[in-house]
């Protein structure tokens, strides 16, 4: 069913105001959009991380849907058990309605410590949607670098100094790692293109089997951007092709958005103080190296999606 703003405005919001997320937090915007997109009753789990911490401070909860707390590494494993129990109870005739299952995890709980449980759940074929709200570091514990942190980004554990200019490694390509699992549906999304994100969630929830959506979610504390720019900085990540929007349905790759003019990566760096050191002339070679990597990956994606390759 197409998303109708008028109908959407009448729908109860599944996550309540009054949570402790920062103003302008991209992750809570992502989670709200995901929950609002669901058409059937849902059960959620969330790995320990920013969103678990700010929404479930004992004895309060902001979740207006059934929710299970998880340790850092096991949101996917927990949801596997819940989904298995549901299938058993439904087979026994003790549950009649259709229920959907959504597990959330930040990049730390997904790219790194939770990768094993996510991989296992996807490989076993559990009927669940896993959403990674990717804010590119371990933000709630002190802005430590993660497997998703961009190259040269300054964090508390990859600082800028004489020995290094931020993180020394490129981030993992988690979306392609999920593609290697050959699950029915995989997508990359961004909250600034809310309709694209919500449409992908609805599509994923209608597909039986394991699904994965990786959503870029800005963090004003870690990215060092004004709270009011949380969605603008996500938009710039997409316009530079650093974070392309695409989906893979049953092995078929599809590009969802192609910028009219590909913006140089330096323009995305200018929006965030974690990259401020890259604006110095002596770091121009590092910027050029990252731009070359973005260009290469963008060309590869266009090929996979059957799109015309052009500058």
């Amino acid at each position: 069913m197409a998303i109708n703003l008028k109908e959407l405005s009448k729908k109860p919001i599944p996550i309540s105001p009054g949570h402790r997320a920062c103003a302008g937090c991209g992750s809570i915007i992502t989670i709200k959009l995901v929950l609002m997109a669901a058409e059937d009753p849902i059960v959620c789990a969330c790995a320990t991380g920013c969103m678990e911490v700010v929404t479930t401070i004992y004895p309060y909860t902001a979740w207006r849907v059934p929710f299970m707390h998880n340790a850092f590494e096991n949101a996917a494993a927990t949801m596997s058990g819940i989904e298995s129990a549901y299938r058993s109870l439904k087979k026994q005739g003790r549950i009649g309605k259709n229920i959907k299952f959504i597990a959330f995890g930040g990049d730390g709980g997904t790219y790194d410590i939770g990768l094993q449980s996510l991989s296992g759940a996807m490989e076993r074929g559990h009927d669940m949607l896993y959403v990674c709200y990717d804010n590119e570091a371990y933000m709630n514990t002190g802005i430590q670098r993660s497997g998703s942190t961009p190259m040269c980004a300054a964090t508390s554990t990859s600082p800028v100094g004489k020995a290094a200019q931020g993180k020394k490694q490129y981030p993992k390509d988690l979306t392609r790692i999920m593609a290697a699992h050959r699950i029915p549906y995989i997508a990359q999304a961004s909250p600034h293109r809310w309709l694209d994100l919500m449409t992908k969630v609805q599509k994923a929830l209608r597909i039986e089997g394991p699904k994965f959506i990786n959503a870029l979610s800005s963090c004003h504390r870690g990215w060092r951007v004004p709270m009011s720019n949380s969605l603008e900085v996500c938009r710039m990540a997409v316009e530079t092709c650093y974070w392309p929007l695409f989906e893979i349905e049953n092995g078929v790759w599809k590009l969802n958005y192609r910028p009219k003019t590909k913006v140089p990566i330096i323009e995305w760096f200018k929006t965030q103080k974690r990259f401020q050191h890259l604006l110095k002339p002596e770091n121009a070679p590092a910027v050029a190296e990252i731009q070359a990597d973005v260009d290469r990956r963008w060309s590869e994606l266009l090929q996979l999606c059957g799109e015309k390759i052009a500058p």
Side-chain angles (χ1 to χ4, degrees):
M1 181 183 298
I3 293 172
N4 182 313
L5 272 180
K6 185 177 179 180
E7 294 302 318
L8 203 60
S9 66
K10 301 174 185 174
K11 194 173 179 180
I13 299 175
I15 196 157
S16 74
H19 52 71
R20 269 73 163 183
C22 300
C25 169
S27 299
I28 200 72
I29 296 172
T30 294
I31 287 181
K32 180 180 175 182
L33 291 172
V34 171
L35 296 179
M36 291 291 288
E39 296 168 327
D40 292 309
I42 53 176
V43 174
C44 293
C46 188
T48 297
C50 296
M51 292 300 98
E52 198 271 351
V53 169
V54 302
T55 58
T56 63
I57 296 177
Y58 182 80
Y60 306 107
T61 179
W63 297 82
R64 290 170 168 163
V65 296
F67 174 87
M68 179 167 279
H69 159 78
N70 293 261
F72 213 153
E73 72 282 8
N74 63 1
T78 301
M79 192 54 80
S80 298
I82 296 172
E83 187 268 341
S84 296
Y86 165 75
R87 280 191 287 111
S88 175
L89 292 170
K90 198 166 186 182
K91 189 176 180 180
Q92 297 171 43
R94 297 170 66 182
I95 294 179
K97 58 186 175 184
N98 290 322
I99 301 174
K100 304 297 183 183
F101 301 92
I102 305 176
F104 292 98
D107 51 289
T110 307
Y111 282 69
D112 297 334
I113 196 169
L115 183 58
Q116 40 76 29
S117 68
L118 172 61
S119 177
M122 298 294 105
E123 186 270 334
R124 290 190 300 273
H126 291 281
D127 187 13
M128 57 183 278
L129 168 62
Y130 190 104
V131 178
C132 175
Y133 59 92
D134 186 352
N135 56 24
E136 301 190 328
Y138 293 79
M139 297 303 187
N140 71 301
T141 53
I143 315 175
Q144 298 96 346
R145 56 89 81 192
S146 77
S148 170
T149 303
M151 183 154 175
C152 289
T155 73
S156 59
T157 50
S158 59
V160 175
K162 293 181 180 178
Q165 294 296 302
K167 189 187 176 193
K168 296 180 179 179
Q169 303 84 14
Y170 284 108
K172 297 177 190 175
D173 191 338
L174 182 63
T175 309
R176 289 204 187 189
I177 292 173
M178 288 297 103
H181 286 67
R182 294 183 288 186
I183 58 178
Y185 187 77
I186 303 148
Q188 268 195 190
S190 167
H192 85 281
R193 292 187 71 87
W194 62 272
L195 185 57
D196 175 75
L197 170 58
M198 295 182 78
T199 301
K200 286 172 175 172
V201 172
Q202 288 193 342
K203 181 184 286 188
L205 291 177
R206 284 195 292 268
I207 296 171
E208 188 174 351
K211 289 83 62 176
F212 176 82
I213 294 178
N214 203 359
L216 185 68
S217 302
S218 57
C219 171
H220 85 93
R221 290 284 299 128
W223 294 20
R224 304 299 184 193
V225 298
M227 295 176 183
S228 57
N229 281 6
S230 59
L231 294 183
E232 172 60 22
V233 72
C234 290
R235 186 189 72 82
M236 189 60 79
V238 173
E239 295 296 325
T240 59
C241 300
Y242 178 82
W243 189 265
L245 305 181
F246 63 95
E247 60 188 343
I248 311 166
E249 187 172 356
N250 294 318
V252 179
W253 293 64
K254 180 182 179 183
L255 190 68
N256 302 122
Y257 175 74
R258 185 166 185 160
K260 290 182 180 177
T261 303
K262 186 162 171 263
V263 178
I265 192 68
I266 189 74
E267 299 302 319
W268 189 53
F269 292 157
K270 289 177 181 176
T271 63
Q272 306 159 69
K273 288 189 178 179
R274 62 176 176 161
F275 294 119
Q276 197 170 39
H277 54 290
L278 292 180
L279 306 183
K280 297 178 180 177
E282 61 267 31
N283 287 325
V287 175
E289 182 183 335
I290 296 171
Q291 181 67 65
D293 183 67
V294 170
D295 294 344
R296 177 186 60 78
R297 293 167 55 77
W298 175 244
S299 293
E300 287 179 358
L301 178 62
L302 292 178
Q303 285 184 310
L304 288 166
C305 295
E307 293 276 335
K308 182 180 179 182
I309 299 176

